Amino acid sequence: MDEEEDHQKLPDLVKELVLRLLSQQQQQQQNNTTDSPNPNSPHFQSCLRYAHRILSSRLTPSVAPDAAAIADSVKRRLATQGRSSEALSFADLYTKFASKNGPGSVNNKWAVVYLLKIISEDRKNTKNLDSSVLLPNLGFSDAQLGKGSSSRVSHAPEKGWSNGVLLVAKDSENLREIAFREFVNLVKEENEVCEELLVRDVIYACQGVDGSYVKFESDNVGYVLSDLIKVPRATRTVVHKLCELGWLFKKVTGFISRSMDRFPAEDVGTVGQAFCSALQDELTEYYKLLAVLEAQSSNPIPLVSESASSGNYLSLRRLAVWLAEPMVKMRLMADLVEKCRVLRGGAMAGAIHLHAQHGDPLVHEFMRRLLQRVCSPLFGMVKKWVLEGELEDIFAEFFIVGQPVKAESLWREGYRLHDAMLPLFISPSLAQRILRTGKSINFLRVCCEDRGWTDAATEVATDTGASARRGGFGYGETDTLESLVDEAAKRIDKHLLDVIYTRYKFKEHCLAIKRYLLLGQGDFVQYLMDIVGPELSEPANTISSFKLSGLLETAIRASNAQYDDHDILDRLRVKMMPHESGDRGWDVFSLEYDARVPLDTVFTESVMARYLRIFNFLWKLRRVEHALIGAWKTMKPNCITSNSFTRLQHVVKMQLVSTLRRCQVLWVEINHFISNLQYYIMFEVLEVSWSNFLSEMEVAKDLDDLLAAHEKYLHSIVEKSLLGELSQSLYKSLLAIFDLILRFRSNADRLCEGIHELQTRISESSISSRDQNKSRKQLNDKSAEQGSWIADGRKALTQRAGEFLRSVGQDLDAIAKEYSSLEEEFISQLPVQQHVDLKFLFFRLDFNEFYRRLTTIECLSRTILLVLTSVLTNHSLGHGSLIDYRYSFFCGLRVSLWQM
């Protein structure tokens, strides 16, 4: 109430002040006349308006409100004018004035100092002005002033300031105010709608609501001001730019409403819900700003000349400043809404992350705040997967997907990365570690039936800090995420390998497979071949697998294999492969190893098929070796040398010795090849690969490393054993050599049987004459029954023996020739193989370059034959002399050798 009374008294006080000033001036001019001026006179009214204009003036000084700076300016001006003593006095007075604080002191000290400075500067300018246009100074009587004061007033005329005039405004004719009013009238004539109404409609449009003049048009896709409304082009442009915010607002709110309407009927997803929630929070702040602006828009917009007096109004220009930052945010949100319309989960988070790579701090901070909300469900899934192995992904938003599979396929096929859902702020290597950590937990829980991983997960959650336990890490805290994943992976993978090695004895099972499927247990393999050999020589369709299983048990009990773990021996079984008509037992017999859960994760069906392929190759190699040993036992010199051959003719004896020698030489050559090949397979391939596998097994950090080490071990055996894709031609040549060796064994057995039968017949021919007829009759009957070539009489015996030896010799020659061809073909392919160990096999087989020289000699012989044939052909036709033919022969030979 007091303030209102003061405002009401203020015009009266001003009127009284002007009246007293005019009275004082009139008294000085008319020699102390007591008549008071008329309040209704034009002069009084002009002075009163002038006083009101001075008091309502909004002109502010163009200097900073710094009292010390103004005081320094005054001191510098005094010193420049040569008034140093006055400058010192002013400095002392200002120090005292500035040091006074507390009740009764001046608060706005800089204004006082600035006023004194202006008065000092205007004193020079008032000397040439007409004092009639200024307000006179209010005089004081001697009674009102003290003695000192009267003395100071009496000296005023000496200073040239007789009337005490203060120049406050330089626009005495009020031209600035008149110009402003004319401008306002011009603006009103050009605008059919006042600015206050346009501001109100723009605020409505920013909220997605049509106003009286600004309405939404679907054709123009936005809020527009009708062309029928008369406004300046600049105003229309400002309104159009500001109304863009309303169009963006409708776009964002439309996305939010559509997303929420679809939930839960459609899969919006937790990330999509978080995105909508974050957008809604940003719109809440936007609503608060619009509420403040709407409140300010109710205040009238002052004139241009009065715009500095009241600040709580809202014009279009001010509204543009207020909405500049919301416009940037709304454009970002509208762009994100457009990009994320068909995205969800990790793909949505990755698309939003792309917009965070911005140099503007405002945009960067806004996107970081938005992504923290959006990525919160995603990081919650990561934590749940890494620490508990749980895949809580109802809406298929996570970058890890699972599918129902069997236990043996859980590790390889149960879980995989979904690249489309992998956000860009998670690197592929980190995603692989996250995938492997969760897979390890599920593998332990499902396949190993182990719960020890819970302790490791609890330790990880404790060591990574309380923030991680509360799920506090999120977007922008990749280091915390990597620390959690690395620590969990290290501990859980270590526990998994301990379970595989200790509880399930992985190393022992690998060694058992090496011993039995890769035929590393020598005594077991030799005894097994000895007892199953006769059975496997029968047709495959007549062999009983139960009988072979019994023979396998016998071989185990008769060898050192009996001391192995019973769990390992129980897994070893006989397997009969599919066979066709004409196959023998050797062709279909094999051993298999039953790898149960969880070992079947390593020893899968495909892996065991490759082991079976290696076993079949090694089994054929051992069969050939066994056949060579059997042939040697039957053709040893002490078994076939006897004095009974002395009764044969010399020609037959020489033929017998030649055939035996040819057979033994061929055996030695074949044995050299097989022995070196077997040494290479057993030591250079199997043992070296096994040693490398053990070394890599020791440094394996997780199950993937273990699988990779085993795959490398198996791949090395396959490639070095001529079973790879690039060694198929070598493998086929080797199988042909194996078949030829088995044919050689048959011919060697046939030769030895014939020799033994001949020895028996010669021995029986020396029996006494009284039993000769009876014995001959028995032999004839026996020969007739067995189809023997031995007949009565020495002459017939010699003839039949010669025919037999000649037939066997021809077969051995054919086998030797074919073997030499196959061996040369095999050896010639070894140097061009890519695997370096196959080249070492070549060095072992041809260490003295025998086969290389043999190949060279054969090529040279063929060359000489061809050149000589050509020369003789020309000679028979009578072309040239003998010297020319000789010269042609040597030239052709030289060219052929050079081409070799």
Side-chain angles (χ1 to χ4, degrees):
M1 296 295 295
D2 294 339
E3 292 182 357
E4 293 180 357
E5 293 177 358
D6 291 341
H7 284 298
Q8 293 176 358
K9 293 179 179 180
L10 183 61
D12 297 335
L13 293 175
V14 173
K15 184 175 182 180
E16 183 180 355
L17 176 63
V18 173
L19 185 63
R20 293 187 63 181
L21 288 173
L22 292 176
S23 299
Q24 181 70 24
Q25 184 181 17
Q26 187 176 359
Q27 289 177 5
Q28 294 177 356
Q29 292 177 354
Q30 298 180 3
N31 297 324
N32 298 325
T33 301
T34 58
D35 295 338
S36 61
N38 186 8
N40 297 325
S41 63
H43 181 63
F44 178 81
Q45 295 296 330
S46 176
C47 291
L48 183 61
R49 285 196 302 271
Y50 184 64
H52 278 294
R53 189 169 73 250
I54 291 175
L55 294 177
S56 62
S57 174
R58 296 180 182 178
L59 297 177
T60 57
S62 60
V63 296
D66 190 353
I70 298 173
D72 291 339
S73 175
V74 173
K75 285 188 291 183
R76 283 195 303 270
R77 185 167 62 83
L78 293 174
T80 304
Q81 296 175 357
R83 301 158 64 181
S84 302
S85 59
E86 295 181 6
L88 293 175
S89 299
F90 176 79
D92 182 54
L93 291 173
Y94 173 74
T95 303
K96 294 179 181 179
F97 175 71
S99 62
K100 290 184 178 181
N101 294 317
S105 62
V106 179
N107 294 328
N108 201 359
K109 297 180 180 179
W110 80 271
V112 175
V113 178
Y114 181 70
L115 175 64
L116 295 176
K117 179 176 179 295
I118 293 299
I119 294 174
S120 175
E121 292 176 351
D122 286 345
R123 285 176 62 187
K124 296 180 181 180
N125 300 327
T126 57
K127 293 179 180 180
N128 299 325
L129 293 175
D130 185 7
S131 60
S132 63
V133 299
L134 303 176
L135 285 176
N137 189 13
L138 181 63
F140 295 92
S141 62
D142 294 340
Q144 292 172 333
L145 297 173
K147 181 179 180 179
S149 299
S150 62
S151 63
R152 286 194 293 271
V153 172
S154 63
H155 291 290
E158 299 179 1
K159 299 296 182 177
W161 197 12
S162 58
N163 292 325
V165 177
L166 175 62
L167 182 63
V168 177
K170 297 181 181 181
D171 188 10
S172 59
E173 300 297 332
N174 206 14
L175 299 179
R176 185 168 180 265
E177 180 71 18
I178 295 173
F180 283 152
R181 291 187 181 277
E182 291 178 352
F183 174 74
V184 170
N185 294 330
L186 182 62
V187 169
K188 288 182 178 180
E189 292 177 358
E190 294 181 353
N191 285 274
E192 186 177 335
V193 181
C194 65
E195 190 173 2
E196 289 88 343
L197 297 178
L198 291 178
V199 169
R200 184 197 61 188
D201 278 14
V202 169
I203 293 177
Y204 287 163
C206 292
Q207 301 176 61
V209 180
D210 289 347
S212 300
Y213 306 100
V214 180
K215 300 180 181 296
F216 182 81
E217 292 186 3
S218 57
D219 296 338
N220 296 324
V221 192
Y223 288 91
V224 295
L225 183 63
S226 176
D227 296 335
L228 301 177
I229 299 176
K230 182 181 178 182
V231 293
R233 180 181 299 177
T235 302
R236 188 178 297 275
T237 303
V238 172
V239 171
H240 178 71
K241 289 183 178 179
L242 292 177
C243 288
E244 180 188 358
L245 187 60
W247 173 70
L248 297 173
F249 173 80
K250 286 181 68 70
K251 192 174 183 180
V252 174
T253 54
F255 172 80
I256 295 175
S257 60
R258 285 192 301 271
S259 298
M260 292 297 99
D261 291 342
R262 289 185 303 168
F263 182 81
E266 297 184 19
D267 296 340
V268 178
T270 57
V271 176
Q273 296 176 46
F275 179 47
C276 292
S277 176
L279 293 178
Q280 193 64 52
D281 290 346
E282 295 296 332
L283 291 181
T284 301
E285 298 297 325
Y286 175 70
Y287 292 147
K288 293 179 181 178
L289 174 62
L290 290 182
V292 174
L293 295 179
E294 191 169 1
Q296 291 187 5
S297 66
S298 61
N299 297 329
I301 300 177
L303 299 178
V304 180
S305 60
E306 302 173 351
S307 60
S309 62
S310 60
N312 294 329
Y313 70 92
L314 196 62
S315 64
L316 288 176
R317 293 182 181 274
R318 285 195 172 195
L319 185 61
V321 175
W322 276 105
L323 297 180
E325 182 176 335
M327 182 74 76
V328 175
K329 294 182 179 179
M330 198 66 70
R331 283 174 180 168
L332 281 174
M333 290 190 288
D335 193 14
L336 292 176
V337 164
E338 186 66 27
K339 295 292 180 59
C340 300
R341 189 176 303 275
V342 295
L343 299 178
R344 64 179 180 178
M348 178 182 290
I352 299 174
H353 168 73
L354 288 176
H355 291 74
Q357 310 305 310
H358 203 284
D360 189 350
L362 172 65
V363 176
H364 183 75
E365 178 61 25
F366 172 75
M367 295 304 302
R368 186 191 64 81
R369 186 171 64 252
L370 189 66
L371 278 167
Q372 283 183 342
R373 294 285 301 277
V374 171
C375 297
S376 178
L378 201 62
F379 282 100
M381 296 179 193
V382 172
K383 181 182 176 184
K384 194 76 172 179
W385 172 257
V386 168
L387 296 181
E388 301 179 18
E390 297 290 341
L391 198 58
E392 294 185 350
D393 187 17
I394 302 175
F395 303 104
E397 302 174 283
F398 200 32
F399 55 86
I400 296 175
V401 295
Q403 56 184 354
V405 294
K406 296 181 180 179
E408 60 268 18
S409 303
L410 178 66
W411 183 265
R412 286 186 171 87
E413 302 174 4
Y415 303 96
R416 62 177 179 85
L417 285 179
H418 189 192
D419 295 333
M421 290 295 174
L422 180 62
L424 297 178
F425 51 84
I426 296 180
S427 63
S429 60
L430 178 59
Q432 287 290 344
R433 295 198 297 272
I434 294 173
L435 172 64
R436 190 184 65 244
T437 304
K439 281 201 307 182
S440 298
I441 294 177
N442 282 278
F443 184 81
L444 286 168
R445 180 166 50 206
V446 176
C447 299
C448 301
E449 298 180 354
D450 179 78
R451 300 292 299 177
W453 59 270
T454 55
D455 298 334
T458 303
E459 294 175 0
V460 170
T462 304
D463 294 344
T464 51
S467 61
R469 289 198 302 273
R470 293 193 302 267
F473 65 90
Y475 179 79
E477 301 179 11
T478 310
D479 295 338
T480 305
L481 176 63
E482 288 190 359
S483 176
L484 173 68
V485 173
D486 291 342
E487 193 67 25
K490 182 174 66 175
R491 300 196 183 192
I492 294 175
D493 288 337
K494 182 178 181 298
H495 177 72
L496 172 59
L497 291 181
D498 290 341
V499 171
I500 291 292
Y501 290 155
T502 306
R503 180 177 173 183
Y504 291 98
K505 301 178 181 180
F506 176 75
K507 295 180 181 179
E508 288 78 358
H509 288 288
C510 289
L511 182 59
I513 290 176
K514 175 180 175 291
R515 286 178 176 176
Y516 302 118
L517 296 191
L518 302 184
L519 307 184
Q521 188 75 23
D523 57 340
F524 164 76
V525 175
Q526 187 64 40
Y527 192 81
L528 179 64
M529 281 204 163
D530 290 339
I531 61 176
V532 301
E535 187 70 22
L536 297 181
S537 299
E538 301 296 329
N541 54 5
T542 62
I543 298 177
S544 172
S545 58
F546 296 101
K547 184 176 182 180
L548 292 178
S549 299
L551 296 176
L552 175 63
E553 292 292 335
T554 303
I556 290 174
R557 288 194 298 269
S559 63
N560 289 329
Q562 61 180 321
Y563 301 110
D564 283 346
D565 190 356
H566 291 289
D567 178 59
I568 293 176
L569 296 178
D570 291 341
R571 296 171 184 258
L572 189 63
R573 299 171 184 174
V574 173
K575 179 180 180 180
M576 302 296 290
M577 295 184 296
H579 54 273
E580 300 176 356
S581 60
D583 289 341
R584 296 286 176 175
W586 291 103
D587 301 322
V588 298
F589 174 81
S590 63
L591 297 179
E592 66 175 355
Y593 195 83
D594 182 19
R596 302 161 191 164
V597 178
L599 296 180
D600 53 0
T601 301
V602 181
F603 304 113
T604 60
E605 292 183 3
S606 61
V607 169
M608 298 311 295
R610 293 163 72 183
Y611 272 119
L612 178 60
R613 187 180 176 194
I614 298 173
F615 171 82
N616 291 333
F617 170 71
L618 297 178
W619 185 253
K620 291 178 181 179
L621 180 60
R622 286 300 186 97
R623 179 192 176 188
V624 170
E625 180 194 19
H626 189 265
L628 288 176
I629 294 175
W632 174 252
K633 291 179 179 179
T634 58
M635 59 186 291
K636 287 189 297 183
N638 58 351
C639 294
I640 60 178
T641 302
S642 177
N643 294 329
S644 58
F645 290 123
T646 56
R647 299 185 181 184
L648 294 176
Q649 293 182 359
H650 179 71
V651 177
V652 177
K653 286 194 298 183
M654 294 303 298
Q655 190 176 4
L656 176 61
V657 172
S658 176
T659 303
L660 287 174
R661 183 178 182 279
R662 187 180 300 113
C663 184
Q664 291 175 350
V665 168
L666 183 57
W667 182 91
V668 171
E669 187 175 355
I670 293 174
N671 185 68
H672 165 75
F673 176 81
I674 294 300
S675 298
N676 284 278
L677 178 62
Q678 186 178 10
Y679 174 85
Y680 165 76
I681 294 296
M682 300 306 296
F683 293 97
E684 298 293 338
V685 176
L686 297 181
E687 292 300 330
V688 172
S689 299
W690 173 255
S691 178
N692 295 334
F693 178 46
L694 289 180
S695 301
E696 295 182 0
M697 195 186 305
E698 293 296 331
V699 299
K701 297 181 180 179
D702 50 65
L703 187 56
D704 280 335
D705 291 346
L706 186 62
L707 292 174
H710 181 263
E711 178 64 24
K712 183 179 179 182
Y713 162 69
L714 194 56
H715 178 75
S716 175
I717 295 176
V718 170
E719 291 296 326
K720 293 180 181 181
S721 300
L722 312 178
L723 300 176
E725 295 294 334
L726 300 178
S727 304
Q728 289 301 307
S729 59
L730 272 174
Y731 183 67
K732 293 179 180 178
S733 300
L734 193 60
L735 292 182
I737 293 176
F738 287 170
D739 294 338
L740 190 63
I741 293 174
L742 295 177
R743 282 173 52 196
F744 166 75
R745 165 68 189 272
S746 300
N747 282 272
D749 290 344
R750 175 167 158 247
L751 175 62
C752 294
E753 290 175 0
I755 292 174
H756 288 307
E757 191 172 355
L758 181 61
Q759 285 180 324
T760 303
R761 182 68 186 109
I762 294 174
S763 299
E764 291 177 352
S765 63
S766 61
I767 300 176
S768 60
S769 56
R770 60 187 177 88
D771 295 331
Q772 187 174 6
N773 294 331
K774 183 179 179 179
S775 299
R776 185 175 299 172
K777 182 178 180 181
Q778 293 176 354
L779 286 173
N780 287 336
D781 295 338
K782 184 178 180 180
S783 299
E785 293 174 0
Q786 297 179 356
S788 176
W789 48 267
I790 299 178
D792 292 334
R794 185 183 300 272
K795 184 177 180 180
L797 181 62
T798 303
Q799 182 180 358
R800 297 299 296 274
E803 293 176 357
F804 170 74
L805 294 174
R806 188 163 45 253
S807 174
V808 173
Q810 291 175 356
D811 293 341
L812 291 176
D813 289 341
I815 292 175
K817 184 176 180 180
E818 186 177 357
Y819 174 77
S820 299
S821 176
L822 292 174
E823 187 178 26
E824 290 175 10
E825 179 184 358
F826 178 81
I827 293 176
S828 64
Q829 297 181 45
L830 290 176
V832 298
Q833 297 299 315
Q834 294 183 356
H835 208 291
V836 65
D837 287 345
L838 293 177
K839 298 179 181 179
F840 292 154
L841 175 61
F842 169 74
F843 297 149
R844 291 193 60 86
L845 294 176
D846 196 19
F847 66 95
N848 57 356
E849 299 184 355
F850 169 77
Y851 295 103
R852 184 179 301 177
R853 288 198 302 268
L854 184 61
T855 303
T856 304
I857 293 173
E858 291 180 356
C859 292
L860 181 60
S861 301
R862 288 195 297 268
T863 301
I864 294 175
L865 181 60
L866 290 174
V867 173
L868 186 57
T869 302
S870 176
V871 171
L872 292 178
T873 302
N874 292 332
H875 179 66
S876 62
L877 296 175
H879 299 294
S881 61
L882 185 60
I883 297 176
D884 295 335
Y885 299 147
R886 188 183 303 168
Y887 177 75
S888 299
F889 171 74
F890 286 109
C891 287
L893 181 60
R894 181 180 179 184
V895 171
S896 299
L897 291 176
W898 180 79
Q899 291 177 351
M900 291 172 55

